[in-house]
Amino acid sequence: MSKLTIVDKPKDSYNWFGYFYYKTNDGKLKAKWLNSGLKGKGLKTKAKEICEAKMDAFLLELEQQNAVKDKTLLDLTIWEYANRYIERNETTIRKNTKRGYESSRNIIKGFFKDKKLVDTTENDIIEFYNYKRRQGVTENTIKHYAVLLQATFDLAIHEKVYNGINPIKPDKNSKKDLRKLKIAKPKIEVLTPSEQQKLFEILKGTKLEMPFLISVYYGIRRGEVAALEIKDFDFEKGVLNITKSLDYKNLSTMNMNDPKGKEPRQQLLIESLNKRLIKFIEKRQDNKIKWDKDKSFYKIPFDIQDKKGIMDFDPLFRHPDGSLLTPEYITHSFRKLLLNNNFEHIVSWNDLRKTCASNLTSDGNNLEFVKDYLGHKAIDVTIKHYATTFDEVAKKQTKKYGNKLDKRFELDKEEKETENDKKDEKK
């Protein structure tokens, strides 16, 4: 065991330091000096305790570093280690998830630059989060950074590169969890009927008018909207087949996947929307003559229901020149239209799905119906994601129910009579 010596340096200054000797990789002895941070008479014992703790931490880190088989890992920056995690799990994560990780990795790189993972502390992570907040980044986006950082540190700990517990999510006995402690849960934004109407007026006549209606009426996600084809609408049987989701960053990486949850689903077509949709399709077909031949169909790789290959993709939603409306275009164009028209709330496209759930429950549909309509595997998922929505709807429904019974039993009449009696007494 290393022997710690405590000295005041310079002599008789009572500025307490400690030092000990340890062996380097080549077997030589090397002195390690430790600053206790204490200065003054009678503090030698306290300085020894502080320096012993620092010595133990140093020796533990040294032991762990010596246990690392690949010493080059010790020199990796935090973003390089994040990249290592992404590459090791490339075959098990979805392509759009991978792209999200890569985007987060680039943001992490921009902040931490050459900071080594082994030197990164919890305070560094907190400062990173706060820096992004000052830039106006949402809490939900910061949560995405946290997911990648936690996985990165888990890998470094497994490979004995990082000393200690994960700074993103400490051990079970710790009350600190940076994902929960520092990151607020994003608010579920559900549009009221009047807000839905106003939003429709903003989008009317734009490329997002019909995608908006389909998302509100059927509660489907932006990737599912972008993946729709005319053949998915079976007007004879009166059903909409939701079987795929478009994964897109650019044409070279475009891919067709299963819808989220992996299970295809059918929804009954709503007749009132069918008339508008048929007119939209007719207008689209008229515009088709203006498209370049190579835009009639897109040759796109697919990985759906464990089947892989190349498919001819004829997207329903396109720009006038025939190019497809991508999920990214839907998101950014939607946000821009809301900002330019001073819409009251910051609304994401996924909030239209939440609004659909609210509309369904407001009309008295039970949770089992909402689960099937939205394509959730289990009702627990429905409750977990839309509990706030259901609570608000339940309050309104309960109040409406109570008012109805009040009138039935004339309780409202009794309350008015009691109020009038009180007024008469005051007079």
Side-chain angles (χ1 to χ4, degrees), residues 274-288:
N274 284 357
K275 296 174 183 177
R276 199 178 195 98
L277 182 60
I278 290 169
K279 286 183 180 179
F280 175 84
I281 292 172
E282 288 172 351
K283 185 178 179 181
R284 173 192 179 280
Q285 296 302 85
D286 291 340
N287 290 335
K288 197 170 184 178

Side-chain angles (χ1 to χ4, degrees), residues 7 98 135 156 171 230 250-251 259 270 305 365 386 392 414:
V7 296
K98 182 189 173 187
Q135 289 187 322
D171 60 27
I230 295 175
N250 54 54
L251 284 173
I270 297 169
Q305 294 291 292
N365 295 295
Y386 302 110
E392 290 303 314
E414 288 183 13

Side-chain angles (χ1 to χ4, degrees), residues 117-176:
L117 179 132
V118 294
D119 297 328
T120 306
T121 66
E122 180 183 302
N123 288 335
D124 294 327
I125 302 296
I126 293 172
E127 178 52 36
F128 167 58
Y129 291 162
N130 289 335
Y131 173 76
K132 298 312 293 183
R133 287 188 179 98
R134 291 192 293 271
Q135 289 187 322
V137 173
T138 66
E139 296 298 325
N140 195 42
T141 300
I142 292 173
K143 187 176 180 181
H144 290 311
Y145 305 152
V147 169
L148 178 59
L149 284 169
Q150 182 191 331
T152 298
F153 279 99
D154 278 342
L155 174 61
I157 291 167
H158 174 72
E159 294 182 323
K160 302 185 184 301
V161 170
Y162 192 76
N163 176 28
I165 55 179
N166 193 320
I168 311 300
K169 185 182 179 185
D171 60 27
K172 294 179 181 179
N173 297 322
S174 174
K175 293 182 180 179
K176 284 188 177 182

Side-chain angles (χ1 to χ4, degrees), residues 7 10 46 67 91 119 138 176 187 231 233 266 283 285 386 389 391:
V7 296
K46 182 66 176 175
T91 59
D119 297 328
T138 66
K176 284 188 177 182
K187 182 183 176 183
K231 66 181 182 181
F233 294 85
Q266 278 191 337
K283 185 178 179 181
Q285 296 302 85
Y386 302 110
T389 302
D391 286 346

Side-chain angles (χ1 to χ4, degrees), residues 34 66 293 295 334 360 367:
L34 305 166
N66 289 335
K293 289 182 180 180
K295 288 178 181 173
F334 181 61
L360 290 169
L367 293 184

Side-chain angles (χ1 to χ4, degrees), residues 236-265:
E236 274 190 35
K237 294 182 179 178
V239 294
L240 167 59
N241 297 294
I242 304 167
T243 61
K244 54 193 184 299
S245 178
L246 181 64
D247 179 9
Y248 181 95
K249 188 170 186 181
N250 54 54
L251 284 173
S252 63
T253 63
M254 185 166 59
N255 194 68
M256 197 67 76
N257 295 321
D258 292 305
K260 191 173 181 180
K262 304 241 176 194
E263 293 296 328
R265 61 189 188 277

